[in-house]
Amino acid sequence: MRLSQAKPNAVTRITLTRPDDFHLHLRDGAALAAVVADSAARFARALVMPNLKPPVVTTEQAIAYRERILAALPAGSDFNPLMSLYLTETTSAEEIARAKESGVVIAVKLYPAGATTNSDAGVRDLLSAEAALAAMAELGLPLCVHGEVVDSAVDVFDREAVFLQRVLAPALERHPNLRVVVEHITTREAVRFVAAAGSGVAATVTPQHLLLNRNALFSGGLRPHHYCLPVLKRELHREALLLAATQGSPKFFLGSDSAPHSRQAKESACGCAGIYSAHAGIELYAEAFELAGALERLDDFASRFGAEFYGLPRNQGQLVLERQPWSVPEALAFGDERLVPLRAGGEMPWRVVEGGQ
Ligand code: DOR
Ligand code: ZN
């Protein structure tokens, strides 16, 4: 990684190894066609989430979905979609073996049933998925978890911390060799849990959880475009996440959770959870790392630690950002609809100037 500065303390140019996004929603059909170029312009690879309707539950479906993603890419793009399977209570050990053997599926995603978008086919009781978990532990296929309990008795702001104690800690006791990524962590408790766990447990961190706290949901009125799950938390949690992401620990790496929903689906009496950030997928992280005074650690977080966790080679080539402010559009094309991106109508300090495709 290279940082160029015109004067001391004023970096103007950041040269990264081409980064990876280890948590991305690309959807399907017209929505896929509308968004995939944003990720491909910044990231060499992405781990694509399987919560389609219907979900991607077999290796065969994952391979077919990957082909649709490749077909939707701009001409000449070498973006490499890495695939995940959607864990259900009937996922068999044989399916896990097929996934591992495919070389295309690199993880299995746990959605607690009812926890988030398209999670109805997910897992009610993790004990029902023991055969799959045992096979994953044996074969070294990581489990990516949406770490929230679905229990109306638990406050929505506590659901992540309760999940870690009630569900994940016992699962790791039953399967000490299971490799786990706690996705989109949002709390100090999650930072501590992951830091204290063995080297097989890591976490992804989103740009919105590094840059915003829960006040952003209510600033001047209800802000549906800041609503995602797990929901934004208090400032003390944002600070803990920023510290974890920027301290140089290989346990914390980039996973944007960019999750497009149409403007209509968000601006509704029952708005969907999900924030679209792929239009500025690396620029937002550069801003967060600069805020923390840790730009020199961005390369490891964005381009190295995730690849190492998944046992993948580092990318060839570089991506260059410059301090060149630009305005984020109010809305983007999204098939027949519109998509409101993170920071819509606002300004981004960093711009990709080279190496984007
Ligand atoms: O905010 C979210 N949106 N969180 C999730 O877990 C799912 C995602 C989506 O698919 O829209
Ligand atoms: Zn997600």
Side-chain angles (χ1 to χ4, degrees):
M1 168 177 199
R2 232 179 17 250
L3 299 177
S4 315
Q5 37 199 109
K7 4 179 206 147
N9 305 321
V11 175
T12 51
R13 193 175 156 96
I14 309 166
T15 304
L16 301 171
T17 299
R18 284 178 77 200
D20 297 313
D21 183 349
F22 280 102
H23 186 129
L24 179 65
H25 297 271
L26 285 176
R27 314 304 191 206
D28 214 342
L32 164 64
V35 300
V36 70
D38 280 345
S39 292
R42 292 161 176 83
F43 297 101
R45 300 174 290 208
L47 177 53
V48 182
M49 291 297 118
N51 61 334
L52 302 182
K53 273 188 227 169
V56 179
V57 295
T58 66
T59 304
E60 205 183 337
Q61 288 169 339
I63 292 170
Y65 181 30
R66 184 168 188 275
E67 291 301 320
R68 297 198 294 282
I69 297 167
L70 292 175
L73 284 169
S77 172
D78 66 353
F79 180 72
N80 181 5
L82 310 167
M83 306 309 291
S84 59
L85 279 196
Y86 186 113
L87 185 68
T88 73
E89 297 193 349
T90 58
T91 304
S92 64
E94 292 72 37
E95 192 60 57
I96 297 299
R98 269 193 292 277
K100 176 72 183 179
E101 213 166 288
S102 73
V104 165
V105 174
I106 67 156
V108 178
K109 178 73 188 274
L110 164 64
Y111 287 105
T116 186
T117 306
N118 296 340
S119 62
D120 295 349
V123 174
R124 252 152 275 275
D125 178 357
L126 195 51
L127 288 172
S128 310
E130 281 298 275
L133 295 188
M136 290 165 62
E138 190 191 323
L139 297 173
L141 192 64
L143 180 71
C144 297
V145 302
H146 181 109
E148 290 190 288
V149 289
V150 183
D151 178 345
S152 55
V154 178
D155 190 279
V156 67
F157 292 100
D158 298 333
R159 286 183 185 176
E160 182 176 88
V162 172
F163 177 92
L164 298 173
Q165 297 310 324
R166 201 188 273 180
V167 182
L168 188 54
L172 285 167
E173 267 183 32
R174 297 196 302 279
H175 304 282
N177 295 328
L178 185 63
R179 296 174 66 70
V180 172
V181 182
V182 188
E183 298 293 333
H184 43 56
I185 56 168
T186 63
T187 57
R188 183 170 65 182
E189 287 82 357
V191 168
R192 288 178 179 160
F193 183 95
V194 170
S199 62
V201 178
T204 55
V205 193
T206 78
Q208 63 264 27
H209 293 104
L210 291 175
L211 289 166
L212 302 173
N213 64 37
R214 66 192 195 179
N215 288 354
L217 282 163
F218 307 109
S219 85
L222 193 57
R223 299 286 185 170
H225 300 292
H226 287 158
Y227 174 54
C228 64
L229 284 171
V231 71
L232 295 170
K233 302 294 193 304
R234 286 180 178 280
E235 177 63 6
L236 75 89
H237 296 295
R238 189 191 70 83
E239 286 166 1
L241 295 172
L242 194 58
L243 195 63
T246 59
Q247 72 195 354
S249 161
K251 283 175 161 271
F252 301 93
F253 54 83
L254 192 157
S256 72
D257 199 20
S258 177
H261 291 277
S262 71
R263 160 172 254 164
Q264 214 180 355
K266 296 282 296 171
E267 296 176 10
S268 150
C270 187
C272 291
I275 293 179
Y276 186 69
S277 61
H279 64 297
I282 189 69
E283 298 91 322
L284 288 158
Y285 286 103
E287 187 177 336
F289 273 64
E290 182 170 39
L291 275 175
L295 271 178
E296 72 283 1
R297 302 245 166 88
L298 180 60
D299 193 55
D300 282 346
F301 175 84
S303 314
R304 180 172 153 215
F305 293 151
E308 283 177 358
F309 181 89
Y310 282 102
L312 298 167
R314 288 194 76 181
N315 294 313
Q316 301 289 312
Q318 297 179 323
L319 188 75
V320 182
L321 290 91
E322 274 187 7
R323 191 185 303 284
Q324 252 185 55
W326 57 283
S327 298
V328 179
E330 294 285 354
L332 307 170
F334 192 55
D336 294 338
E337 304 182 276
R338 303 286 285 167
L339 173 63
V340 178
L342 184 56
R343 189 75 61 83
E347 203 165 84
M348 289 296 313
W350 291 99
R351 180 197 295 264
V352 173
V353 293
E354 271 173 44
Q357 301 206 342

